[in-house]
Amino acid sequence: MTKKIAVLPGDGIGPEIVAQAVKVLQAMPELNLEMEEAAIGGAGYDTAGDPLPEATLKLAREADAVLLGAVGGPQYDKLDRPLRPERGLLRIRKELNLFANLRPALLYPELADSSSLKPEVVSGLDIMIVRELTGDVYFGQPRGIEVRNGERVGFNTMIYSESEVRRVARVAFDIAMKRGKKLCSVEKANVLECSELWKEVVIEVSKGYPEVELSHMYVDNAAMQLVKWPKQFDVIVTGNIFGDILSDQASMLSGSIGMLPSASLDENNKGMYEPIHGSAPDIAGKNVANPLATILSAAMMLRYTFGDEANAQRIEQAVRKVLADGVRTADIYTAGTKKVSCSEMGDAVVAALK
Ligand code: IPM
Ligand code: MG
């Protein structure tokens, strides 16, 4: 049966990196994928006056999975907030109810030298960050900028309902069960009521998972521990904003932010797959970006939405081989390796599939 993929390249380097992931998927005709493109982010605003055009949302709803590049660019920063590219991304996550964001931080041994940390600190690193994606201060009401007592104030609302915490906690516990059976819940319960509830609910959910060793950590300490001794972590579960920050940080452990894929899943494992990095306007159009995070996101799509572990691993092994062969984009280049462009990296992965 054909499976339909909505392909949303977005802005900046988005089109270049997505083209490489599409190339890899097309090199596997046995997957039976039908891909259709639509605009999102600044590209959506440029073509339809909306960062999430109706046609794009319709395509994404009808598709079995969504593959996304990146959104945003300086030319859109002055637009009204609802028209900005980032809002298109937040809206599609919300509209599709993609509440569980899986961000694996894995160090490929060949990239130990590209990490900003010492090789012994990061070698063998394999962490899964589960970030809640449709709640928290990103969506909480009220929000705004207004004048109070003669001066402007900006405000947002950090809010989680127990059902929101419970469902993402379950996803994290289920993942922990399939991995090292260790889960660390990250919050700021020493200061925030929202975090206090988060922690309580995670403890309630843990009763259903007696085999998983649950720990709790304040987010500031977690940021420190991630660079001090990251291998203490197996699975981390955290809210939207803390997860946004900690996953960028964790990406550096793995050599480059250009290496980290993600899956954003709903209740039924329908998902949107995107690299965790942004649109990198400074290098857009130069064919130098690292497409591996996007290619690895396509592998996650096969694993989580289509339950096709074998082909997911086939892509991941191809990436491994390419790295072992010393093929590198600029962000992960070190002396003695071979520097290639974005599209050459895509070609190398395709060749390694064979
Ligand atoms: C991410 C990005 C987005 C986020 C931005 C582009 C809205 O940083 O996916 O991590 O904050 O979620
Ligand atoms: Mg981010």
Side-chain angles (χ1 to χ4, degrees), residues 61-99:
R61 280 194 204 286
E62 285 166 3
D64 298 296
V66 181
L67 181 67
L68 184 132
V71 301
Q75 68 271 46
Y76 306 111
D77 285 350
K78 292 228 150 55
L79 290 174
D80 280 350
R81 225 156 245 287
L83 295 177
R84 290 202 202 152
E86 292 76 11
R87 211 39 99 71
L89 180 58
L90 295 183
R91 265 172 56 208
I92 195 170
R93 290 171 175 171
K94 189 79 173 174
E95 291 282 351
L96 299 182
N97 204 18
L98 307 172
F99 65 87

Side-chain angles (χ1 to χ4, degrees), residues 103 131 138 244-245 247-248 276:
R103 299 189 158 189
R131 168 188 175 192
Y138 281 42
D244 186 21
I245 298 166
S247 59
D248 265 38
I276 80 151

Side-chain angles (χ1 to χ4, degrees), residues 199-218:
K199 185 173 176 182
E200 271 175 41
V201 176
V202 171
I203 292 173
E204 287 162 25
V205 175
S206 73
K207 308 283 186 260
Y209 298 86
E211 282 178 58
V212 176
E213 181 194 318
L214 173 67
S215 60
H216 305 274
M217 207 179 266
Y218 300 141

Side-chain angles (χ1 to χ4, degrees), residues 3-7 17-36 65-68 273 294-303 306 308 311-312 314-315 346 349-350 353:
K3 302 169 203 100
K4 188 156 185 184
I5 314 295
V7 178
I17 54 176
V18 163
Q20 305 317 311
V22 166
K23 191 155 80 184
V24 169
L25 291 172
Q26 278 169 344
M28 304 166 83
E30 65 280 13
L31 296 176
N32 255 317
L33 303 179
E34 182 196 317
M35 294 186 250
E36 191 175 331
V66 181
L67 181 67
L68 184 132
Y273 297 85
T294 317
I295 291 171
L296 291 167
S297 298
M300 288 186 91
M301 176 168 89
L302 301 185
R303 170 171 299 123
F306 300 129
D308 186 352
N311 279 312
R314 215 179 130 206
I315 295 178
V349 175
V350 168
L353 279 174

